[in-house]
């Protein structure tokens, strides 16, 4: 490849998206890992290989992200990714699909036409992404899915996945719920659509954790895409179930949880049931843990996730492989007992 000037480009559809670099750093890294506390024990999060001193200036990397502006986790993720790529002086083109699968398909086609050396893909739809990764593979370009995996049919076309395990996040959070409920109780679940891998994984994790116990999922809403929707349906569930009939609510993410808390407050039933979040990517949600409004959650740092994905993916350009096909990033369980002892860099609210 002809050596090109070192630069970082961020595109939004046909226009240019101006993104500032994240002020947060990985300054807490210890042996390229982060030592943080979990509900059970201290955990070290591996940030991947140390690539300092490597020269990536002859490579061009393409990135297609599902939706950089959906929430603070997503916006912080792309900022952290930008910062990491800039530190390695990688020639990088980043696209934001804004949740539009048609737009993301066009972005993938553009990256292929640019003959990039590597593509990082955060798919907006895990099923639709199968054809995208097949096209990338046929073009001879290695592709790594990050944060959200492609459906299993597409795994034959990728080098692997780097990101959290939705199954593990939900399983460990739900296991904390089962312990708190002493193995019995009635639970309501809130999830988003099933065409998104983390949703399916987190539902699987919940059901695995409650299997064989006397904790029962008595109601389930499966189109919780925003806080207001969760609030509306939780209000209906509260009308349907009298005080004492619901022991806990298990939410796919923190946005659903905030809607649940809003509905309970509006119905003057705050604190009546325990609220659990499979995984939270909003730093401010930790205050709800501290106040006891959320009983437990798996913490998912966008800074950790983005930097780990970059480290592992760029290592492929040096002729190495991912440690595992599914390289999962640790997401420890946070409760009121350990929320104040976290060793994580805060991210945008």
């Amino acid at each position: 490849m002809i050596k090109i000037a070192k630069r970082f480009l961020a595109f939004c559809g046909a226009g240019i998206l101006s993104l500032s670099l994240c002020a947060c750093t990985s300054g807490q890294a210890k042996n390229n890992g982060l030592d943080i506390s979990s509900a059970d024990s201290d955990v070290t999060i591996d940030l991947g290989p140390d690539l300092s001193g490597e020269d990536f200036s002859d490579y061009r990397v393409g990135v297609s992200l599902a939706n950089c502006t959906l929430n603070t986790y997503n916006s912080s993720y792309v900022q952290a990714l930008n910062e990491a790529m800039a530190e390695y002086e990688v020639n990088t083109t980043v696209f934001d699909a804004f949740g539009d699968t048609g737009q993301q398909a066009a972005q993938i086609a553009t990256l292929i036409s640019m003959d990039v050396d590597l593509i990082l893909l955060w798919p907006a739809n895990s099923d639709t992404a199968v054809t995208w990764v097949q096209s990338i593979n046929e073009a001879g370009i290695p592709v790594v899915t990050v944060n959200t995996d492609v459906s299993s049919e597409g795994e034959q076309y990728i080098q692997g996945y780097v990101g959290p395990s939705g199954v593990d996040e939900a399983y460990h959070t739900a296991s904390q719920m089962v312990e708190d409920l002493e193995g019995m109780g009635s639970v309501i679940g809130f999830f988003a659509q099933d065409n998104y891998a983390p949703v399916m994984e987190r539902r699987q994790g919940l059901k695995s954790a409650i299997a064989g116990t006397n904790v029962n999922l008595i109601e389930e809403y499966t189109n919780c895409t925003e806080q207001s929707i969760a609030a509306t349906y939780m209000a209906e569930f509260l009308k349907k179930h009298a005080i004492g009939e619901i022991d806990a609510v298990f939410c796919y993410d923190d946005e659903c949880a905030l809607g649940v808390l809003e509905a309970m407050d509006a119905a003057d039933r705050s604190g009546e049931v325990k609220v659990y979040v499979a995984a939270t990517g909003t730093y401010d949600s930790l205050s709800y843990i501290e106040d006891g409004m959320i009983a437990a959650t798996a913490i998912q740092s966008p800074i950790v996730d983005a930097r780990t994905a970059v480290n592992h993916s760029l290592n492929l350009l040096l002729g190495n492989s991912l440690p595992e096909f599914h390289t999962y990033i640790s997401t420890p369980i946070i409760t009121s007992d350990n929320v104040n002892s976290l060793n994580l860099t805060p991210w945008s609210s």
Side-chain angles (χ1 to χ4, degrees):
M1 172 182 290
I2 299 174
K3 188 170 182 177
I4 55 180
K6 297 173 183 175
R7 60 179 181 256
F8 184 92
L9 300 176
F11 291 87
C12 172
I16 296 178
L17 175 64
S18 177
L19 296 172
S20 60
L21 298 182
C22 180
C24 307
T25 71
S26 58
Q28 293 172 312
K30 302 173 183 178
N31 297 322
N32 217 36
L34 290 173
D35 294 331
I36 70 174
S37 298
S38 73
D40 300 319
S41 61
D42 288 342
V43 173
T44 297
I45 299 179
D46 180 13
L47 298 180
D50 182 359
L51 303 179
S52 57
E54 298 290 348
D55 183 7
F56 293 100
S57 60
D58 280 331
Y59 295 102
R60 168 165 277 176
V61 174
V63 183
S64 180
L65 302 173
N67 194 336
C68 299
T69 59
L70 180 65
N71 51 43
T72 58
Y73 174 88
N74 291 36
S75 59
S76 296
Y77 185 100
V78 71
Q79 289 177 339
L81 182 144
N82 288 355
E83 183 182 61
M85 290 293 195
E87 288 175 7
Y88 288 129
E89 298 186 307
V90 185
N91 299 293
T92 311
T93 300
V94 179
F95 284 112
D96 181 3
F98 288 105
D100 186 329
T101 56
Q103 188 167 198
Q104 192 161 37
Q107 293 167 357
I108 294 298
T110 298
L111 292 175
I112 292 173
S113 70
M114 292 171 62
D115 194 27
V116 295
D117 298 291
L118 172 70
I119 291 178
L120 277 62
L121 172 63
W122 178 347
N125 183 302
S126 301
D127 295 334
T128 308
V130 173
T131 58
W132 305 340
V133 295
Q134 182 176 5
S135 296
I136 297 169
N137 178 263
E138 290 172 351
I141 301 171
V143 56
V144 176
T145 51
V146 299
N147 200 269
T148 296
D149 205 357
V150 66
S151 295
S152 57
E153 304 93 303
E155 290 184 346
Q156 60 187 307
Y157 304 116
I158 67 175
Q159 309 310 119
Y161 165 78
V162 181
S165 166
V167 175
D168 287 349
E169 290 174 327
Y171 179 83
H172 292 302
T173 301
S175 294
Q176 182 67 49
M177 177 182 72
V178 170
E179 180 181 332
D180 292 346
L181 296 178
E182 298 182 345
M184 60 192 311
S186 299
V187 177
I188 291 177
F190 281 86
F191 294 92
Q193 305 98 322
D194 266 345
N195 61 1
Y196 200 48
V199 178
M200 296 180 285
E201 292 172 357
R202 292 177 189 176
R203 181 183 285 110
Q204 178 186 339
L206 165 64
K207 294 190 174 180
S208 294
I210 65 176
T213 73
N214 289 317
V215 174
N216 299 306
L217 191 61
I218 60 170
E219 300 270 12
E220 187 175 1
Y221 182 70
T222 58
N223 194 27
C224 185
T225 55
E226 55 188 72
Q227 179 176 335
S228 60
I229 293 176
T232 297
Y233 280 89
M234 185 61 191
E236 293 300 316
F237 289 141
L238 290 173
K239 292 176 183 177
K240 181 178 178 180
H241 296 280
I243 294 175
E245 292 183 3
I246 306 171
D247 297 296
V249 178
F250 189 90
C251 299
Y252 157 75
D253 65 5
D254 38 11
E255 191 164 4
C256 288
L258 293 180
V260 167
L261 292 171
E262 177 186 331
M264 289 196 296
D265 183 59
D268 198 26
R269 291 172 70 172
S270 293
E272 177 188 325
V273 302
K274 294 179 180 294
V275 177
Y276 296 83
V277 184
T280 180
T282 305
Y283 195 83
D284 279 356
S285 291
L286 297 179
S287 65
Y288 292 91
I289 296 282
E290 187 174 7
D291 294 341
M293 299 175 70
I294 294 176
T297 186
I299 185 68
Q300 189 174 322
S301 163
I303 300 171
V304 169
D305 292 350
R307 285 189 165 270
T308 305
V310 168
N311 287 344
H312 281 298
S313 299
L314 293 186
N315 198 37
L316 295 175
L317 296 175
L318 303 178
N320 301 306
S321 301
L322 297 178
E324 303 288 343
F325 184 82
H326 294 104
T327 300
Y328 292 128
I329 300 170
S330 297
T331 50
I333 299 302
I334 306 304
T335 68
S336 59
D337 292 334
N338 69 338
V339 66
N340 291 316
S341 62
L342 290 178
N343 181 28
L344 282 176
T345 300
W347 55 94
S348 300
S349 301

